[in-house]
Amino acid sequence: MSSKNETPVLIASLLVTAALLGGGYWWFTRDGGLNLPGLGGSNPLPTAPAPSAVAPASTGGQFNEVQNVPAGLFNYGGSTTWAPVRGAIDPMMQQAFPSFQLRYTDPIGTPASSGSGIDMLLKKQLSFSQSSRSLNADEQQAAQQQGFSLKEIPVALEGLAIAVNTALPVDGITLTQLRDIYLGNLTNWNQVGGPDLPIVPVSRPSDGGTVEFFVSTVLGGTPLPGSITIANTTTEALRLVDSTPGAIYYASAPEVVGQCTVKPLALGRQPGQLVRPYAEPYVSPENCPAQRNQINSTALRSGEYPLTRRLFVIIREDDTQDQPAGEAYANLLLTQQGQQLLSAAGFVAIR
């Protein structure tokens, strides 16, 4: 080939190379730099995995296959346990159904919780609510007195995890020991095989679904004593555990297991039956956040891990568009895609 014929080829090659380099530069700088998970930010709670990281189902079960998704703006709210769902999964629903608009609504004058969400639903301030506990008799009665009923739809399983300071040389405790710690019968870690160190039990306020579940399941209905240290949010509680060598706290497993600043304890019904809420092998704090502990979904699904519960979408059954909105939201979470996204966010699929 002559040099005359080679010139156009050379110019074309240079143009292609320049385009590739320019595209690469745009990709790495479009967000002002690399956005690596776990780095930066003041919130100690790990961000839920990006929805795009979840492989779509190979056959059916996608969001866009759900029927009867209504158009409109729908208020919803409730349990703080659902925060990973609202942050990572709900936007995916709205991408699939742009006219199905969801607006999270906080209660006025009280912390967000399962109970406050159900109360707002009863007052018709929400189209549906998210709950980490089942409906109680008083709530059902309040609905009947207004001429409608409430319906709960389970969509996932979740566990409660026990968090302690990373330096505490205790690997696990029994449910009985956990109960005695929170009732004030055990006050030093040396009473459960640990060091001579005062135990500092921490809890959120008693109006949340997680606290209600803990009091009912672990404490047998006995209210938390006044000596318990109260933290208004899980973020505040985890910071307190990180800064207090003897502190202990309980919360939704997705909020605890992936943390770098606290250690999840194994838990069991008997001393020889301790089960870890995270999948082995354990990721030590020095390897976090490059690696994070993952939920032990097998133990939670089988019931081997002793503190598990269901998550519910609560619907008001009436003749408004609110009922179809709540049913559509639950149906989306129960698709194969929805269940995969819930698993990626740290919950356990029920389908």
Side-chain angles (χ1 to χ4, degrees):
M1 182 182 295
S2 68
S3 59
K4 180 179 180 180
N5 293 333
E6 292 173 353
T7 300
V9 175
L10 178 60
I11 293 174
S13 299
L14 291 172
L15 289 173
V16 171
T17 301
L20 290 173
L21 290 173
Y25 176 80
W26 171 83
W27 176 261
F28 282 102
T29 59
R30 58 179 179 157
D31 292 325
L34 290 173
N35 183 22
L36 299 178
L39 298 180
S42 59
N43 188 348
L45 294 180
T47 303
S52 59
V54 181
S58 57
T59 56
Q62 299 299 289
F63 283 161
N64 58 16
E65 297 176 33
V66 174
Q67 303 296 314
N68 302 318
V69 178
L73 177 63
F74 302 99
N75 292 339
Y76 73 126
S79 172
T80 58
T81 297
W82 283 71
V85 178
R86 292 191 285 267
I89 302 178
D90 292 357
M92 296 283 286
M93 294 182 184
Q94 298 190 245
Q95 288 179 20
F97 297 95
S99 60
F100 183 54
Q101 301 175 48
L102 301 175
R103 180 172 64 185
Y104 179 74
T105 306
D106 273 316
I108 298 175
T110 184
S113 66
S114 297
S116 67
I118 295 169
D119 182 63
M120 293 173 72
L121 186 64
L122 287 167
K123 294 176 180 176
K124 299 186 178 182
Q125 297 170 352
L126 299 179
S127 298
F128 60 89
S129 67
Q130 301 165 318
S131 181
S132 57
R133 63 164 175 83
S134 185
L135 291 163
N136 61 42
D138 290 341
E139 291 159 346
Q140 291 283 24
Q141 183 179 5
Q144 292 171 5
Q145 290 173 348
Q146 297 182 63
F148 57 83
S149 61
L150 296 179
K151 178 182 178 181
E152 56 186 36
I153 304 176
V155 295
L157 288 174
E158 181 240 8
L160 259 62
I162 311 303
V164 296
N165 190 278
T166 56
L168 183 72
V170 174
D171 292 328
I173 56 177
T174 66
L175 282 175
T176 299
Q177 290 171 330
L178 180 62
R179 182 186 68 232
D180 285 341
I181 285 172
Y182 272 86
L183 292 181
N185 300 325
L186 296 175
T187 58
N188 195 295
W189 283 106
N190 62 16
Q191 295 173 285
V192 293
D196 182 9
L197 180 68
I199 299 176
V200 182
V202 180
S203 175
R204 287 189 61 200
S206 58
D207 54 355
T210 298
V211 180
E212 291 179 21
F213 176 80
F214 184 84
V215 168
S216 173
T217 305
V218 178
L219 305 187
T222 303
L224 289 167
S227 58
I228 298 294
T229 299
I230 299 296
N232 290 322
T233 66
T234 287
T235 299
E236 179 183 327
L238 293 175
R239 287 174 177 159
L240 183 59
V241 173
D242 179 37
S243 62
T244 309
I248 183 171
Y249 177 64
Y250 62 93
S252 172
E255 296 176 309
V256 170
V257 168
Q259 290 291 336
C260 301
T261 58
V262 298
K263 180 175 72 172
L265 287 183
L267 195 61
R269 296 177 179 87
Q270 301 294 333
Q273 300 175 352
L274 300 185
V275 181
R276 304 184 190 283
Y278 53 85
E280 297 281 12
Y282 175 67
V283 177
S284 59
E286 56 266 24
N287 293 323
C288 189
Q291 301 176 54
R292 292 185 185 271
N293 285 300
Q294 303 298 315
I295 297 291
N296 186 352
S297 57
T298 301
L300 267 64
R301 183 180 293 109
S302 68
E304 183 183 7
Y305 184 76
L307 275 185
T308 59
R309 58 180 175 172
R310 293 185 295 173
L311 300 183
F312 300 94
V313 176
I314 309 295
I315 296 170
R316 188 178 61 249
E317 295 186 300
D318 53 21
D319 57 358
T320 69
Q321 275 292 90
D322 290 341
Q323 181 177 346
E327 290 173 342
Y329 183 78
N331 289 336
L332 287 163
L333 291 174
L334 289 170
T335 62
Q336 188 171 357
Q337 182 180 3
Q339 294 288 287
Q340 287 177 329
L341 289 167
L342 284 166
S343 296
F347 302 104
V348 178
I350 60 174
R351 286 189 172 179

